[in-house]
């Protein structure tokens, strides 16, 4: 299974820093697209979750000597966007090296390698609120964040929240995922009182910060593990892999399959080229290869990479314009006219 995982998503790469040998990952097209979709969905969710939440971009200060800290300047500028009113939030994404964990320590599961990667891509929200409403904000965000994880999952019951605990004097809740190796943290929500030694303490005495943090590595591990299903084919009795990615996260939304005699193949390929052009123009990620495989083999290939839909083009498509439209989750194949395919896909992908 480890070999299959590395072929599909990521392969390890080792590097040295400060005398320590650490492991990070090079991602395949599937791994890259999945991570990018997760990042985009996370960003859209936190930006629209509450009013006055603003994104910023920062340099990575890892191994840099900070001469001047501009956190206060960023705080003031973002607060101005929010009309100087609480609450408001700052969203940031940062890459850093986590030398405390290393993928080499993950020996039980393939997914655990990415979870413990030495290079982390953090996704963070700093939400500033009134001190007296801090616990209410924590409850509100915790409910929204847990709902987000469950909504994009195949098995929502594997996501849960920990009990409220105190960490270094700060109240914290963790969102947990039930990995094959046991429950592990995938996101943390921590309430802190705002501090800035350069400013008047009184200016911060009534402000709390809710820090929300996850990483692309944690999220990628969770969603791969959650989508991973082994099923036995009733006809062949062979076990095959199906990745049940949510349509918003799936690296490729649709696969295109051709079933035609050799003599008719070039004409059907022309229809496929027309269709893939329409998919590109509408920003629908797809995969199309001309292979001499039977239906089941083609469907199995696209199930293995998590594509929610498959379009089947046959010789009849040339005369009727009708295609087969297969749903991965139901395995039902509908008949849809080629001119209506993009519209139907867009309807499914909005769910």
């Amino acid at each position: 299974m480890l070999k299959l995982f590395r072929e599909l998503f990521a392969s390890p790469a080792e590097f040295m820093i400060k005398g320590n040998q650490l492991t990070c990952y090079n991602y395949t097209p599937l791994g890259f697209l999945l991570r990018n979709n997760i990042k985009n969905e996370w960003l859209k969710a936190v930006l629209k979750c509450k009013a006055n939440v603003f994104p910023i971009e920062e340099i990575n200060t890892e191994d840099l000597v900070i001469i001047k800290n501009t956190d206060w300047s960023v705080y003031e500028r973002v607060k101005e966007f929010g009309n100087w009113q609480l609450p408001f939030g700052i969203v940031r994404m940062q890459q850093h090296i986590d030398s405390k964990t290393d993928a080499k320590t993950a020996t039980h599961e393939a997914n655990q390698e990415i979870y413990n990667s030495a290079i982390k891509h953090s996704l963070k929200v700093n939400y500033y609120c009134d001190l007296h409403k801090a616990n209410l904000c924590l409850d509100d965000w915790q409910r929204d964040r847990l709902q987000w994880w469950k909504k994009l999952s195949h098995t929502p019951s594997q996501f849960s929240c920990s009990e409220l605990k105190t960490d270094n004097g700060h109240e914290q809740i963790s969102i947990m995922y039930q990995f094959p190796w046991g429950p592990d943290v995938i996101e943390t929500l921590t309430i802190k009182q705002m501090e800035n030694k350069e400013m008047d303490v009184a200016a911060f005495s009534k402000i709390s910060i809710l820090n929300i943090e996850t990483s692309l590595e944690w999220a990628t591990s969770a969603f791969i593990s959650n989508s991973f299903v082994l099923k036995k084919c009733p006809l062949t009795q062979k076990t095959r892999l199906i990745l049940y990615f949510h349509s918003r996260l799936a690296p490729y939304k649709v696969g295109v399959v051709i079933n035609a005699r050799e003599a008719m193949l070039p004409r059907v390929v022309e229809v496929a080229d027309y269709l893939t052009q329409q998919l590109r123009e509408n920003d629908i990620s797809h995969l199309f290869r001309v292979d001499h495989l039977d239906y089941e083999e083609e469907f199995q290939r696209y199930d293995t990479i998590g594509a929610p839909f498959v379009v089947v083009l046959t010789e009849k498509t040339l005369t009727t314009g009708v295609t087969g439209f297969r749903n991965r989750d139901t395995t039902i194949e509908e008949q849809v006219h080629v001119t209506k395919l993009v519209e139907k896909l867009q309807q499914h992908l909005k769910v």
Side-chain angles (χ1 to χ4, degrees):
M1 196 59 66
L2 179 60
K3 180 181 178 182
L4 178 62
F5 173 83
R6 289 180 174 175
E7 288 176 353
L8 288 175
F9 297 105
S11 57
E14 296 185 349
F15 66 100
M16 297 288 294
I17 183 169
K18 297 180 179 179
N20 297 321
Q21 182 173 317
L22 301 174
T23 305
C24 61
Y25 282 82
N26 295 318
Y27 290 91
T28 66
L30 283 180
F32 173 85
L33 291 172
L34 174 62
R35 284 162 56 85
N36 194 56
N37 291 343
I38 292 172
K39 179 185 69 175
N40 290 338
E41 288 298 322
W42 179 89
L43 187 60
K44 285 193 294 185
V46 297
L47 287 177
K48 74 177 185 180
C49 186
K50 301 289 184 291
N52 294 332
V53 179
F54 306 100
I56 64 170
E57 184 174 353
E58 297 177 314
I59 62 168
N60 180 17
T61 57
E62 190 84 36
D63 297 325
L64 299 179
V65 177
I66 300 177
I67 300 174
K68 183 178 181 181
N69 192 333
T70 59
D71 278 352
W72 173 248
S73 176
V74 170
Y75 169 83
E76 285 292 287
R77 289 182 178 274
V78 173
K79 190 174 180 182
E80 183 179 357
F81 272 87
N83 199 28
W84 300 90
Q85 298 293 318
L86 292 174
F88 67 90
I90 298 175
V91 177
R92 63 188 86 198
M93 291 178 277
Q94 292 177 314
Q95 175 183 306
H96 67 280
I97 296 174
D98 183 2
S99 57
K100 296 180 182 179
T101 61
D102 187 9
K104 290 189 298 182
T105 64
T107 57
H108 306 322
E109 297 289 339
N111 251 3
Q112 200 171 5
E113 291 190 326
I114 290 182
Y115 185 94
N116 288 327
S117 175
I119 293 184
K120 293 287 195 302
H121 296 78
S122 297
L123 309 174
K124 302 179 181 180
V125 179
N126 301 126
Y127 194 69
Y128 299 84
C129 60
D130 186 284
L131 177 65
H132 302 294
K133 297 181 179 180
N135 289 333
L136 182 62
C137 283
L138 177 61
D139 292 341
D140 198 22
W141 273 96
Q142 170 258 313
R143 182 174 57 252
D144 289 338
R145 295 306 305 139
L146 181 60
Q147 184 181 18
W148 180 82
W149 288 96
K150 289 189 171 188
K151 182 177 67 175
L152 293 177
S153 68
H154 174 61
T155 310
S157 61
Q158 293 180 321
F159 294 88
S160 62
C161 278
S162 70
E163 296 292 328
L164 182 67
K165 64 179 183 179
T166 302
D167 183 28
N168 294 324
H170 307 302
E171 291 185 336
Q172 183 179 88
I173 291 177
S174 297
I175 295 178
M176 313 291 293
Y177 178 73
Q178 185 65 39
F179 286 99
W181 62 84
D184 232 327
V185 176
I186 54 173
E187 192 165 37
T188 58
L189 299 90
T190 309
I191 283 286
K192 300 180 179 180
Q193 187 169 345
M194 189 168 180
E195 298 177 358
N196 192 307
K197 296 179 180 179
E198 298 178 5
M199 305 301 296
D200 182 4
V201 175
F204 301 95
S205 61
K206 296 182 179 180
I207 300 177
S208 287
I209 311 176
L210 171 59
N211 290 334
I212 303 167
E213 182 172 358
T214 184
S215 77
L216 274 180
E217 288 67 33
W218 290 357
T220 301
S221 296
F223 283 123
I224 290 177
S225 178
N226 190 261
S227 70
F228 198 97
V229 175
L230 292 174
K231 278 193 173 182
K232 183 175 288 187
C233 178
L235 297 178
T236 64
Q237 294 301 306
K238 292 182 179 179
T239 301
R240 63 191 184 98
L241 167 66
I242 303 178
L243 291 176
Y244 285 98
F245 287 129
H246 191 283
S247 58
R248 294 183 186 175
L249 300 184
Y252 294 102
K253 314 302 184 190
V254 59
V256 179
V257 171
I258 287 180
N259 183 29
R261 293 171 297 170
E262 193 70 31
M264 302 298 291
L265 188 60
R267 292 181 59 193
V268 182
V269 169
E270 289 180 7
V271 178
D273 289 339
Y274 162 79
L275 174 60
T276 54
Q277 177 64 31
Q278 295 297 308
L279 294 173
R280 283 193 296 273
E281 290 176 359
N282 288 274
D283 197 26
I284 298 175
S285 58
H286 59 279
L287 195 60
F288 169 50
R289 288 167 49 182
V290 180
D291 290 323
H292 296 283
L293 301 175
D294 63 33
Y295 266 29
E296 280 302 316
E297 289 175 320
E298 291 278 15
F299 292 158
Q300 181 176 344
R301 182 177 68 186
Y302 287 116
D303 286 346
T304 301
I305 66 172
F309 308 104
V310 175
V311 173
V312 182
L313 305 178
T314 67
E315 294 177 25
K316 290 183 179 180
T317 306
L318 298 174
T319 55
T320 66
V322 174
T323 69
F325 184 79
R326 177 186 181 265
N327 186 307
R328 175 202 60 202
D329 298 343
T330 64
T331 69
I332 294 174
E333 186 176 331
E334 306 175 51
Q335 289 190 333
V336 180
H337 197 275
V338 68
T339 59
K340 300 292 184 181
L341 273 171
V342 170
E343 181 182 348
K344 188 171 184 64
L345 279 166
Q346 288 173 331
Q347 291 174 350
H348 279 282
L349 295 175
K350 286 180 180 179
V351 176

